[in-house]
Amino acid sequence: MLQNMNMKQQQHFLPFSVVVLLFLLHCTTTLAQPAAAPAPPGPTNVTKILEKAGQFTLFIRLLKATSVSDQIDHQLNDTNNGMTLFAPTDNAFSSLSSGTLNSLNDQQKVALIQFHVIPTYIALSQFQTVSNPLRTNAGDSSRYKYPLNVTTFGNSVNVSSGITNTSVSGSVYSDGQLAVYQVDKVLLPWDLFGAKPPAPAPAPAKPKKRKADAVADAPEDAKVDNSSATSLMTTQTILFFGIAHAVVAAIFSL
C-alpha cells in the first residue's frame, strides 16, 4: 500500500517538474531576445511644438494662414541650416492696437510672420556674438526695411525692430536644429509700421538767363542774322535821309 502511495506521488510530482522546466525555458528565451529599437523621430513640425507649449494660438493661426509654417518645416527637414523662431504669445497679439493686423494685406502678413524667423540656428549663448542687424526670412535688413537687432545683458536677450523693443522671456524648444524663443511683444518691422524716410529734395531750378547773356549764348548763325538786319536798317535810314535832302534842295531851287 505504501508503495502504491509513493508511485501516486511520483505521478503528481513529475508533471509539476515539467511545468517548472518549461517556465524556466520560456523566461530564458524571453530575456535573451533584444529590446525593440525605439521608433525614429518624425519630421519636425513647428506648429505641433507651439501647440504643445500652449499660449501661442494666434501665432499658430497666422503661421498656417500665411503658409510660413510649411516653409519652416520644409527648411528644417530638407536642409541643414537650422532655424530660430521668435514666438509672440497670445497676450502679445492682444496688446496690439485695434485693427493692426486687419490693416495688412496678405503679402504684408507673410512679411510680418517671416520677420520673426531667422534662417539659422542660434542658441541662447550665441546671441552675445551675433552680428547686427540679423537677417530674417522677411529679406532686406536695411534701416527702413526689416532691421532686427539683438543686444545681451548678462543672461538677458533684448530684441529690437526699431519700433518694438522686447526681451526673450523663455526658451520654448531647442534641439540643435530648431530654437523657439518666447517674446512678449509682436515684432513690428519698420517697412510696414514705421514712418517712411523723407523724399529726396528736388534739384534746384536753373536761374533764368538775362537778355545780354541770352544774346551772348545765341548760336553764331543767329548773331549773323542780327548783324544783317542791323546793316539793312542802317542802309534804309541813309537812303531815306538822302531822298529827303534831294527833295528839300529841289524846292529851294525853284
Side-chain angles (χ1 to χ4, degrees):
M1 181 177 179
L2 181 61
Q3 185 177 2
N4 291 335
M5 291 179 62
N6 290 335
M7 291 179 64
K8 290 181 178 180
Q9 288 177 352
Q10 289 178 358
Q11 290 176 356
H12 285 293
F13 281 119
L14 184 59
F16 178 75
S17 301
V18 173
V19 171
V20 171
L21 180 60
L22 292 175
F23 175 74
L24 291 174
L25 289 173
H26 174 73
C27 291
T28 304
T29 305
T30 303
L31 292 174
Q33 292 178 350
T44 304
N45 188 305
V46 68
T47 55
K48 287 185 178 179
I49 292 172
L50 292 170
E51 288 171 355
K52 184 177 180 180
Q55 69 178 340
F56 297 105
T57 304
L58 293 175
F59 189 51
I60 293 171
R61 187 182 304 169
L62 284 170
L63 281 169
K64 291 180 177 179
T66 57
S67 297
V68 174
S69 59
D70 295 335
Q71 176 189 352
I72 294 175
D73 293 341
H74 172 74
Q75 289 182 246
L76 285 173
N77 297 307
D78 296 344
T79 66
N80 296 319
N81 295 333
M83 191 161 292
T84 301
L85 181 67
F86 293 113
T89 62
D90 290 337
N91 288 335
F93 281 98
S94 298
S95 64
L96 291 174
S97 301
S98 178
T100 298
L101 294 180
N102 291 334
S103 66
L104 303 177
N105 58 36
D106 291 343
Q107 183 177 358
Q108 291 171 330
K109 288 179 181 177
V110 170
L112 173 65
I113 300 305
Q114 287 180 329
F115 188 55
H116 291 74
V117 183
I118 300 173
T120 54
Y121 173 82
I122 304 177
L124 273 175
S125 59
Q126 293 177 320
F127 280 115
Q128 299 178 359
T129 57
V130 296
S131 299
N132 288 316
L134 296 178
R135 186 171 68 89
T136 70
N137 276 10
D140 193 342
S141 59
S142 59
R143 180 180 178 187
Y144 293 110
K145 289 291 185 178
Y146 296 92
L148 192 62
N149 296 283
V150 172
T151 55
T152 58
F153 299 94
N155 294 327
S156 176
V157 179
N158 297 329
V159 185
S160 175
S161 69
I163 297 176
T164 304
N165 294 296
T166 188
S167 297
V168 172
S169 55
S171 179
V172 178
Y173 180 85
S174 180
D175 62 2
Q177 180 75 2
L178 170 65
V180 181
Y181 299 111
Q182 174 180 321
V183 290
D184 296 329
K185 289 184 180 180
V186 179
L187 302 175
L188 302 178
W190 191 278
D191 190 60
L192 300 181
F193 299 96
K196 302 304 179 186
K206 294 182 179 180
K208 294 182 178 180
K209 294 182 178 181
R210 295 177 300 173
K211 185 175 181 180
D213 294 336
V215 172
D217 293 341
E220 291 297 328
D221 55 349
K223 292 181 181 180
V224 172
D225 291 341
N226 290 338
S227 299
S228 300
T230 302
S231 177
L232 179 60
M233 290 178 61
T234 303
T235 303
Q236 291 177 343
T237 301
I238 295 172
L239 180 61
F240 173 78
F241 281 108
I243 294 173
H245 180 73
V247 171
V248 173
I251 292 174
F252 279 104
S253 63
L254 293 176

